[in-house]
Amino acid sequence: MSDEIASKWNSRYAYSGKPLPPPAAVLSRGERWLPKGENLTALDLACGRAANAQWLVARNFSVSAWDISETVVAEINSRQSASLIDATVRDVVEKPPSASSFDVIVVSKFLDRGLCGAIQAALKPGGVLFYQTFTHGLSNPDFLLCANELLSLFKGLHILEYHEPEPDSDGKADARLIARRPMHD
Ligand SMILES: C[S@@+](CC[C@H](N)C(=O)[O-])C[C@H]1O[C@@H](n2cnc3c(N)ncnc32)[C@H](O)[C@@H]1O
């Protein structure tokens, strides 16, 4: 199954030549919630072209970017501007992040409900999760969030911000969650 997923995404990423997209709005608009300090680590999970990772590198985080697609990871590694990103081919479902390993985790346009517990546990105490994905506008309903679903998937975290706007004129909408792991669970 994971080979099938990788090959689907490899063909989507086969040379696009497009400029890097902007980072997820949940991250750029939620900048004030980033933890402050020295030697902070961040993970861009299912990173795609790693726009989120690049934005975090520019804010002095030590950033890992993981994706199942070898094609997109090779593209990240070939970009000089991404040289500080530690980009790795990794199936995050088979190999989720370890417990208490990141100060920041960002997930955009990716949903695997079975992974949410591991994502929550992978935050260090005080670490912050930035999550943004679709509620409307995808043909596969498995990848669409239900109303308030991010809130229940991450109920062990302290919610800092949550938005779930109505669909736009194209019928698309996403939910955006910013939440912090308490210092003591
Ligand atoms: C819609 S793209 C989103 C990419 C990026 N996060 C963004 O916001 O542009 C979904 C990404 O998830 C990756 N992906 C899908 N299944 C994965 C898995 N099991 N492990 C790691 N990455 C996966 C795909 O390769 C693809 O890059």
Side-chain angles (χ1 to χ4, degrees):
M1 181 60 178
S2 61
D3 285 352
E4 239 174 72
I5 296 173
S7 101
K8 177 187 101 175
W9 283 101
N10 282 340
S11 39
R12 290 210 196 165
Y13 286 121
Y15 183 74
S16 70
K18 288 186 195 148
L20 196 64
V26 71
L27 190 58
S28 54
R29 293 192 194 161
E31 183 168 359
R32 68 183 174 286
W33 296 113
L34 286 173
K36 314 258 183 312
E38 307 273 304
N39 305 319
L40 295 171
T41 56
L43 171 64
D44 185 354
L45 182 137
C47 60
R49 299 186 66 214
N52 297 325
Q54 193 138 338
W55 187 90
L56 285 160
V57 159
R59 282 151 189 83
N60 293 322
F61 283 81
S62 172
V63 187
S64 302
W66 299 344
D67 200 281
I68 200 169
S69 161
E70 302 93 345
T71 305
V72 84
V73 170
E75 190 263 338
I76 298 164
N77 285 330
S78 71
R79 244 174 27 229
Q80 212 179 358
S81 58
S83 61
L84 292 174
I85 299 172
D86 180 12
T88 307
V89 178
R90 176 156 166 161
D91 180 337
V92 296
V93 175
E94 281 183 5
K95 219 174 153 203
S98 318
S100 302
S101 48
F102 292 100
D103 296 292
V104 166
I105 299 179
V106 56
V107 187
S108 60
K109 301 184 190 164
F110 175 81
L111 180 62
D112 184 306
R113 292 169 173 85
L115 193 60
C116 292
I119 292 174
Q120 183 169 297
L123 290 166
K124 294 181 186 173
V128 180
L129 173 68
F130 295 81
Y131 207 122
Q132 174 170 353
T133 200
F134 299 101
T135 55
H136 296 81
L138 292 183
S139 52
N140 185 342
D142 292 350
F143 298 132
L144 289 177
L145 290 163
C146 301
N148 289 326
E149 192 179 354
L150 278 183
L151 295 173
S152 49
L153 288 171
F154 292 103
K155 57 174 180 276
L157 302 180
H158 174 69
I159 307 303
L160 301 170
E161 280 190 20
Y162 183 71
H163 300 288
E164 196 180 295
E166 289 298 305
D168 63 17
S169 54
D170 297 328
K172 285 202 166 176
D174 54 30
R176 299 172 191 182
L177 171 85
I178 306 176
R180 185 186 286 134
R181 181 170 171 193
M183 294 308 285
H184 306 282
D185 291 324

